Amino acid sequence: MASPTALAENTEVMRGLSRLDRFLPVWIGLAMTLGLLLGRTVPGLDAALDTVKIGQVSLPIALGLLLMMYPVLAKVRYDRLDTVTGDRRLLISSLVINWIVGPAVMFALAWTFLPDLPEYRTGLIIVGLARCIAMVLIWNDLACGDREAAAVLVAINSVFQVIAFAALGWFYLEILPGWLGLPETSLDISMWDIAESVLVFLGIPLLLGYLSRKLGERGKGRDWYETRFLPRVGPIALYGLLFTIVILFALQGDTITSQPGDVARIALPLLVYFALMWAGSFALGKGIGLPYDRTTTLAFTAAGNNFELAIAVAIGVFGVTSGQALAGVVGPLIEVPVLVALVYVSLWARRRFYPAKETV
């Protein structure tokens, strides 16, 4: 039974949340349902939404992602980033989990659950290679993670994504299967295509967030910026998230609802992946002595994936109607509700495993 202190803390936390935050799982569920219904019932909607693109990503999705990321990056105190870059435990753990453990886990799960479905298997491996640089900022913020640490880890993931994505794709789709006597698949993707995705979906909101804080504090002071400006722009992140979910599921609604069996086959290894990556990373952070806020940041940056890059690569290389593209689309279908649930698990773990002084 929960202690009076824990119940009081829970009540205080709930009172501090806006109605949008408090019922976020409901709004996300409604957004997903609305998107699926629109995709199924409005003829030609998917084609219309996908007409204009930034790279291989639909313009409405791109706009939603930018709206979603800007407020979170505007909250970052950029003068504190040096406290993160000096934390070797956090940085080394994140690099190992994201670029060694994560792709290997997804490779193993894809071959375990989909040995007879090579297109879906390849799509899942591509999802595992695309480390998160967007939605993770939302989940980390909702779970009271370290914003500065999230910004640094996302930036590091972005650099590694540009450098390592194509090489890891070559290794996990051609070299490693060959060593194991398994069928091989080629992945022809240029470094520039990946860099373009990173520059658009991280570079633009990061620059805007930095300039907002720099100019806002210089003109009005930190107190005005954090007590007046940020509360006004903060809700835009969740509006952007809900808009992105509606558009994403509207684009793929017909595909998802017309192939429920295939979606279920793809969903199972994804569920296992998100659970393993989050729980393992959270346990590692706790084990090496990281405080709660950095432990939860480590966990969410490890569990999330860059679905927009994965979908863009799958469509660009294999085609919009390919099984690889469907696997990429199912990624956020599973990731969004699972990571929302893990936000609440994380907040529970804060009360359960960390002393009160670390949860303030």
Side-chain angles (χ1 to χ4, degrees):
M1 182 176 179
S3 68
T5 302
L7 289 173
E9 289 177 357
N10 290 345
T11 302
E12 190 61 33
V13 168
M14 291 303 292
R15 284 176 180 170
L17 295 176
S18 68
R19 183 173 297 176
L20 180 63
D21 292 330
R22 215 176 306 166
F23 297 101
L24 182 61
V26 176
W27 310 139
I28 287 179
L30 290 174
M32 294 168 65
T33 302
L34 176 60
L36 290 172
L37 289 174
L38 287 173
R40 286 286 292 178
T41 59
V42 180
L45 177 63
D46 54 346
L49 290 172
D50 210 29
T51 300
V52 182
K53 297 183 178 182
I54 296 180
Q56 289 292 330
V57 179
S58 167
L59 178 60
I61 291 180
L63 292 175
L65 289 170
L66 295 177
L67 289 173
M68 179 179 70
M69 294 177 67
Y70 162 69
V72 181
L73 290 168
K75 293 178 182 178
V76 172
R77 291 185 174 181
Y78 293 92
D79 56 351
R80 294 185 179 179
L81 294 184
D82 59 334
T83 66
V84 180
T85 55
D87 191 339
R88 296 181 63 184
R89 294 173 303 170
L90 175 66
L91 297 182
I92 293 173
S93 298
S94 179
L95 285 173
V96 170
I97 291 170
N98 273 287
W99 297 102
I100 298 177
V101 177
V105 168
M106 188 67 91
F107 176 87
L109 291 173
W111 274 99
T112 299
F113 286 92
L114 302 170
D116 57 328
L117 296 171
E119 290 190 358
Y120 298 155
R121 184 177 65 237
T122 297
L124 281 186
I125 292 172
I126 292 172
V127 170
L129 300 178
R131 312 313 300 168
C132 198
I133 66 170
M135 280 192 180
V136 67
L137 296 171
I138 293 283
W139 314 135
N140 178 73
D141 213 44
L142 291 171
C144 301
D146 187 320
R147 289 175 186 143
E148 288 70 38
V152 170
L153 296 185
V154 162
I156 291 173
N157 275 350
S158 300
V159 173
F160 269 78
Q161 206 150 115
V162 174
I163 297 172
F165 186 93
L168 286 173
W170 170 70
F171 177 75
Y172 280 105
L173 293 175
E174 295 186 56
I175 301 302
L176 185 56
W179 289 351
L180 299 175
L182 302 171
E184 303 169 19
T185 305
S186 61
L187 182 65
D188 183 18
I189 180 71
S190 74
M191 186 179 292
W192 169 245
D193 290 334
I194 301 165
E196 181 183 35
S197 174
V198 169
L199 287 172
V200 170
F201 297 117
L202 178 63
I204 292 175
L206 181 60
L207 177 62
L208 293 176
Y210 174 79
L211 290 176
S212 292
R213 180 169 283 277
K214 189 78 172 177
L215 298 177
E217 289 188 356
R218 180 183 296 172
K220 296 281 192 174
R222 175 162 288 187
D223 182 67
W224 174 88
Y225 183 82
E226 297 194 342
T227 61
R228 300 288 296 278
F229 179 75
L230 288 181
R232 292 178 181 175
V233 301
I236 295 174
L238 294 182
Y239 295 138
L241 171 65
L242 296 175
F243 174 78
T244 302
I245 291 170
V246 171
I247 298 300
L248 179 67
F249 283 79
L251 279 168
Q252 302 295 338
D254 185 64
T255 303
I256 292 171
T257 55
S258 65
Q259 302 181 55
D262 290 352
V263 169
R265 288 286 304 270
I266 297 168
L268 187 56
L270 283 168
L271 282 169
V272 176
Y273 172 82
F274 294 132
L276 284 176
M277 292 298 292
W278 188 92
S281 301
F282 196 96
L284 175 63
K286 174 66 175 171
I288 62 177
L290 293 177
Y292 167 80
D293 57 351
R294 293 194 174 178
T295 295
T296 202
T297 297
L298 179 66
F300 279 103
T301 51
N305 290 91
N306 186 351
F307 73 82
E308 61 273 15
L309 176 61
I311 294 172
V313 169
I315 291 174
V317 176
F318 301 103
V320 69
T321 61
S322 65
Q324 291 88 342
L326 177 61
V329 168
V330 175
L333 172 71
I334 305 303
E335 178 178 339
V336 169
V338 168
L339 292 191
V340 169
L342 288 174
V343 167
Y344 291 90
V345 173
S346 186
L347 294 172
W348 169 84
R350 179 176 64 167
R351 298 189 299 271
R352 176 68 176 82
F353 298 114
Y354 284 84
K357 65 181 181 180
E358 291 191 10
T359 64
V360 175

